Amino acid sequence: MTLATSDTKTIAVALTGASGMPYGLRLVECLLAAGCRVWLLYSQVAQIVARQEMDLSLPARPFDVEAQLSARFGAAPGQLRVFGREEWFAPPASGSNPPDAMVVCPCSMGSLAAIAAGLASTLIERAADVAIKEGRKLVIVPRETPFSVLHLENMLRLARMGVVILPANPGFYHHPQSVGELVDFVVARILDQLGVAHALMPRWGDEASRKHYEE
């Protein structure tokens, strides 16, 4: 489905080493299609996961990733910017130039723990730290099962700070016919949190949803 237009927003998206790379890249695609500016951060392990799950080779140099994904998703010039793991002069590293919101998707338990502890030892962790301290929306999409007590305690700690914990748990009431529709279910929930308009799936209770769910 095509996306509805949205007011221009700057959204930081971080890809970490958890399973679930299709969620993160689909989110980037949808944000770009909605007219948002996207600041993309990615970890070294995310490169391995992208290759394993999507047969996608993300280059080591951020500039090359930027060119690759801009072409893949049809981004306008300057709409997508990609930053390296320790690119400390990147805009999201400072509270003087934070994005409107940030999403960590997929979020590994290691990244979640580091963010909860405020370690800020990588650009992803620092950007999340900035989002929290500046009162910007931070959405974390953990992709792990089962959760240990430690995982849950870290999520609770972040939730108490106002962080949105949005596990990658797709629903089935819309009768998905493909893996892509399951991915879109989760991405739609993320876009809702960001206030970005979309038409990824019918909304519960509207005319389109009633027809869709009655079929």
Side-chain angles (χ1 to χ4, degrees):
M1 295 181 181
T2 58
L3 292 174
T5 58
S6 174
D7 293 335
T8 300
K9 299 179 184 227
T10 300
I11 309 295
V13 177
L15 310 175
T16 73
S19 178
M21 196 57 57
Y23 294 115
L25 290 177
R26 177 62 168 155
L27 174 63
V28 171
E29 179 183 12
C30 291
L31 288 171
L32 293 171
C36 297
R37 288 183 295 265
V38 177
W39 293 345
L40 181 64
L41 323 174
Y42 65 104
S43 70
Q44 186 176 16
V45 182
Q47 294 174 269
I48 298 172
V49 176
R51 188 179 305 112
Q52 172 68 25
E53 295 188 341
M54 302 184 68
D55 198 24
L56 175 65
S57 295
L58 294 176
R61 297 194 307 172
F63 178 82
D64 293 333
V65 176
E66 187 174 300
Q68 179 192 57
L69 295 183
S70 292
R72 180 186 179 103
F73 298 138
Q79 188 184 9
L80 173 65
R81 297 184 63 188
V82 181
F83 303 104
R85 182 178 183 273
E86 297 182 349
E87 197 168 337
W88 299 115
F89 286 102
S94 173
S96 67
N97 195 13
D100 295 304
M102 180 175 178
V103 184
V104 186
C105 176
C107 186
S108 67
M109 294 302 98
S111 294
L112 186 141
I115 294 168
L119 297 186
S121 59
T122 68
L123 181 59
I124 290 175
E125 296 164 14
R126 171 58 182 168
D129 189 56
V130 167
I132 292 170
K133 80 182 185 72
E134 296 297 327
R136 303 301 172 95
K137 175 157 280 191
L138 174 60
V139 180
I140 287 184
V141 184
R143 218 311 307 163
E144 183 62 272
T145 191
F147 292 131
S148 72
V149 171
L150 183 58
H151 300 156
L152 294 168
E153 286 178 344
N154 284 331
M155 290 182 211
L156 180 58
R157 188 175 186 182
L158 287 168
R160 284 173 171 159
M161 299 178 199
V163 175
V164 175
I165 306 298
L166 197 159
N169 296 337
F172 292 87
Y173 54 79
H174 59 306
H175 301 159
Q177 301 299 305
S178 67
V179 172
E181 290 185 3
L182 293 174
V183 169
D184 280 355
F185 182 98
V186 173
V187 173
R189 300 287 76 74
I190 299 170
L191 294 172
D192 287 344
Q193 286 293 321
L194 299 174
V196 173
H198 67 86
L200 289 179
M201 58 181 294
R203 293 190 177 277
W204 188 264
D206 63 18
E207 186 65 27
S209 71
R210 286 196 296 271
K211 291 181 180 178
H212 180 83
Y213 300 135
E214 288 171 0
E215 291 177 354

